[in-house]
Amino acid sequence: FHTPQQLYTKHKFPKRPAANLIFDDITFHAWTWSMTRFKREKKQILHGVSGVFKSGELSAIMGPSGAGKSTLLNVLAGYITRGSSGKVRINDTVRDNSVRFRKLTAYIPQDEELRLNLTAIESMIFAVHLKLGYSISKEDKFAQATNLLEMLGLEECHNTLASRLSGGQRKRLAIALELISNPPIIFLDEPTTGLDSLS
């Protein structure tokens, strides 16, 4: 068993700088349809949320259903910009929507989008070729893919179609696909939903 740091060092994963995510006064408005007034209304979902996610720490956002947890994650990850306001900084730099800042984050949605007709190892090999390019040999790419699957407890699922994986296995495969590029910030939307206590 390798720790993530040993794995990245051993197999030449892209090295990323440590990143602190700081957000100030995040608000979000959405247009909704009012069934009582029969017209569109502007509804405020986020009300000036501020906080810091520090490098090397696991942070959890908790709240009841409909509180705006997924909306906040979408705003912080840069997937929602229209209707939102406030500042999001990575270290001391204000985040824009450039490709450079998107490479620093990975976002795993609540309903993972996997290619259901590919096996777990085929999905990993496909993603490794796309994310790591031609600078790494095929042997190293295959080793990285298999080591990530083993690190997340999917060593027995290499040749299982994604459509036949359990909910927890699909979630772990989605995480493995994002870990290939070694992002310093990973957003997970409801990663424990539908899992048993052991998973």
Side-chain angles (χ1 to χ4, degrees):
F1 180 80
H2 297 287
T3 66
Q5 190 59 44
Q6 290 171 330
L7 188 63
Y8 297 144
T9 304
K10 182 180 177 184
H11 290 292
K12 303 176 187 174
F13 275 82
K15 191 170 182 180
R16 306 288 185 207
N20 295 314
L21 185 74
I22 303 112
F23 49 100
D24 298 309
D25 197 28
I26 302 295
T27 61
F28 179 74
H29 295 85
W31 288 95
T32 60
W33 181 259
S34 172
M35 297 303 291
T36 55
R37 299 182 183 177
F38 300 104
K39 66 177 184 178
R40 285 177 42 148
E41 293 181 340
K42 196 174 186 179
K43 182 178 179 182
Q44 186 169 1
I45 297 175
L46 298 176
H47 301 265
V49 181
S50 300
V52 177
F53 295 151
K54 293 183 179 179
S55 177
E57 293 184 0
L58 173 68
S59 300
I61 302 171
M62 300 176 72
S65 180
K69 302 181 297 294
S70 294
T71 302
L72 178 61
L73 280 184
N74 286 326
V75 170
L76 295 179
Y79 283 94
I80 293 179
T81 54
R82 190 173 183 182
S84 66
S85 64
K87 283 186 180 178
V88 179
R89 290 178 288 140
I90 296 180
N91 295 331
D92 293 326
T93 307
V94 176
R95 187 204 67 197
D96 56 19
N97 289 321
S98 67
V99 176
R100 183 169 64 95
F101 280 98
R102 288 185 184 176
K103 285 184 178 178
L104 293 174
T105 62
Y107 183 75
I108 297 148
Q110 183 177 348
D111 299 316
E112 56 279 340
E113 299 172 2
L114 301 174
R115 294 169 181 84
L116 299 180
N117 293 325
L118 295 179
T119 64
I121 192 64
E122 287 172 342
S123 297
M124 290 295 292
I125 295 296
F126 185 70
V128 165
H129 283 305
L130 287 175
K131 292 186 177 187
L132 300 184
Y134 297 104
S135 61
I136 297 176
S137 69
K138 288 183 180 180
E139 293 78 16
D140 282 344
K141 287 178 182 176
F142 185 78
Q144 289 175 5
T146 55
N147 280 329
L148 270 174
L149 289 177
E150 289 170 11
M151 187 174 74
L152 293 173
L154 296 171
E155 60 273 3
E156 296 178 3
C157 304
H158 282 209
N159 298 314
T160 305
L161 290 173
S163 59
R164 297 190 175 185
L165 295 174
S166 69
Q169 290 169 337
R170 285 191 195 184
K171 186 72 72 176
R172 282 180 278 159
L173 178 58
I175 293 170
L177 291 168
E178 294 299 333
L179 286 177
I180 289 168
S181 56
N182 190 19
I185 300 172
I186 301 175
F187 296 101
L188 296 131
D189 191 2
E190 298 200 25
T192 59
T193 299
L195 304 182
D196 57 32
S197 58
L198 179 62
S199 300

